[in-house]
């Protein structure tokens, strides 16, 4: 990782799902984004273990290294793939909800909007809901608009329209002062 | 909506029907509109893994793509759009937002094993 060659930085949690799926044996070529994550979710659905791999907050960031280390370690100990997938998903849910709860506390907020492609994962949402419930946090998720690329397109279009509207309002206002 | 959740409910519905009628399903036929918000490749992949360990294991999902059809106020008839980014009549150019087809996500038939 120290040699910055053939590496891209990313902020997408989807890449963590890709990495975990690959470590669990999903090594075929993906034909669409989210394929590995779908596979992983379905694996996780087949298990009922309650443990969560560690996904701790370090400073202002969630550290994914212990999470993936746990996947590797359990894989080496021949733990069933489904259980590993489940513990990985629970780890993501636990880490995220702890980070969100900490933020909400320091900012005095109680409403959380969850969006982005990863929240198409219903199992992950279920886990997060269960973790948020006792904390009294209200969760908003996508309903009318998809949480992934479709929603991003709509947001971009809305921003562009809003920008145009502002430009028009601005030139109207300028015209008014000149008149 | 998520393709895996959709695939799981398709499998559930087909399985329920198969059990009720005591038949084996060879294929599930589905109409999928261009505006359904579902990625076909993702749905096909999800269907395959959703079938694992169920009565439908090994069955096929046959997807019929449904294009976007709108009512053109200029021509006064239904027209098929070539692009979902351009809601104008391909012939007269009139703007339209009256969607007649393209949002489908419908199971149309179950093909049975002999």
């Amino acid at each position: 990782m120290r040699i910055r060659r053939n590496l891209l930085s990313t902020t997408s949690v989807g890449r963590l799902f890709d990495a975990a799926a690959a470590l669990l044996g999903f090594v075929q070529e993906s034909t669409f984004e989210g394929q590995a994550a779908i596979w992983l979710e379905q694996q996780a659905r087949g298990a009922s273990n309650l443990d969560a791999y560690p996904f701790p907050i370090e400073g202002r960031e969630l550290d994914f290294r212990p999470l993936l280390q746990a996947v590797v370690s359990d894989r080496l100990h021949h733990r069933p793939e489904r259980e590993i997938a489940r513990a990985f998903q629970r780890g993501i849910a636990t880490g995220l909800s702890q980070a969100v709860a900490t933020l909400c506390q320091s900012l005095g907020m109680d409403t959380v909007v969850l969006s982005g492609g990863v929240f198409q994962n219903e199992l992950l949402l279920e886990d997060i809901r269960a973790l948020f419930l006792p904390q009294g946090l209200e969760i908003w998720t996508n309903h009318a608009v998809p949480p992934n690329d479709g929603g991003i397109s709509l947001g971009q279009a809305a921003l562009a329209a809003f920008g145009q509207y502002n430009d028009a309002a601005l030139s109207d206002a300028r015209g008014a002062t000149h008149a | 909506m998520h393709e895996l959740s959709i695939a799981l409910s398709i499998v559930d519905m087909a399985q329920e029907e198969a059990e009720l009628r005591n038949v084996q399903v060879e294929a599930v036929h589905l109409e999928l509109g261009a505006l359904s918000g579902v990625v076909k490749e993702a749905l096909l992949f999800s269907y395959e893994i959703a079938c694992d360990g169920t009565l439908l294991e090994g069955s096929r999902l046959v997807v019929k793509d449904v294009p976007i059809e709108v009512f053109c106020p200029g021509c006064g008839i239904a027209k098929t759009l070539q692009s979902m980014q351009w809601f104008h009549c391909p012939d007269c150019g009139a703007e339209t937002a009256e969607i007649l087809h393209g949002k489908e996500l419908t199971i149309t038939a179950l093909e049975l094993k002999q």
Side-chain angles (χ1 to χ4, degrees), chain A residues 58-92:
Chain A
E58 296 293 341
R60 295 176 60 86
E61 286 180 8
L62 281 159
D63 186 358
F64 63 82
R65 288 169 299 183
L67 186 72
L68 292 183
Q69 269 159 11
V71 173
V72 172
S73 166
D74 272 359
R75 185 86 162 112
L76 289 173
H77 288 96
H78 305 290
R79 188 176 188 190
E81 286 88 351
R82 287 165 186 268
E83 288 183 17
I84 298 177
R86 194 73 192 87
F88 169 84
Q89 286 224 167
R90 281 195 197 280
I92 296 265

Side-chain angles (χ1 to χ4, degrees), chain B residues 9-103:
Chain B
S9 31
I10 294 173
V11 171
D12 271 354
M13 280 189 261
Q15 194 165 254
E16 200 176 302
E17 204 61 29
E19 275 171 13
L20 197 73
R21 291 160 196 267
N22 199 22
V23 290
Q24 268 196 301
V25 176
E26 169 90 38
V28 177
H29 290 247
L30 187 85
E31 282 188 356
L32 190 65
L35 293 173
S36 65
V38 172
V39 178
K40 187 170 148 185
E41 291 74 27
L43 186 64
L44 289 170
F45 171 75
S46 298
Y47 179 81
E48 207 180 301
I49 58 173
C51 284
D52 279 348
T54 73
L55 290 175
L56 271 85
E57 194 167 324
S59 70
R60 292 171 298 126
L61 182 66
V62 182
V63 176
K64 185 189 169 204
D65 295 303
V66 181
I68 305 166
E69 198 178 85
V70 292
F71 179 78
C72 170
C75 307
I77 50 167
K79 292 286 172 78
T80 302
L81 295 188
Q82 300 307 314
S83 159
M84 70 168 80
Q85 272 99 29
W86 192 242
F87 272 65
H88 290 260
C89 173
D91 299 318
C92 78
E95 277 184 30
T96 170
E98 204 183 324
I99 299 161
L100 303 174
H101 286 290
K103 290 186 171 178

Side-chain angles (χ1 to χ4, degrees), chain A residues 87-100:
Chain A
F88 169 84
Q89 286 224 167
R90 281 195 197 280
I92 296 265
T94 308
L96 278 182
S97 59
Q98 277 166 355
V100 168

Side-chain angles (χ1 to χ4, degrees), chain A residues 26 28 31-32 35 38-39 41-42 45 120-122 146-147, chain B residues 1-5 8 39 41-43 45-46 49-50 52:
Chain A
F26 185 82
Q28 72 187 73
T31 54
F32 55 90
Q35 187 169 11
I38 288 177
W39 179 85
E41 181 185 349
Q42 182 62 357
R45 279 176 188 275
Q120 291 185 100
N121 187 323
E122 294 270 344
Chain B
M1 260 232 253
H2 187 343
E3 285 81 1
L4 180 58
S5 318
L8 287 168
V39 178
E41 291 74 27
L43 186 64
F45 171 75
S46 298
I49 58 173
D52 279 348

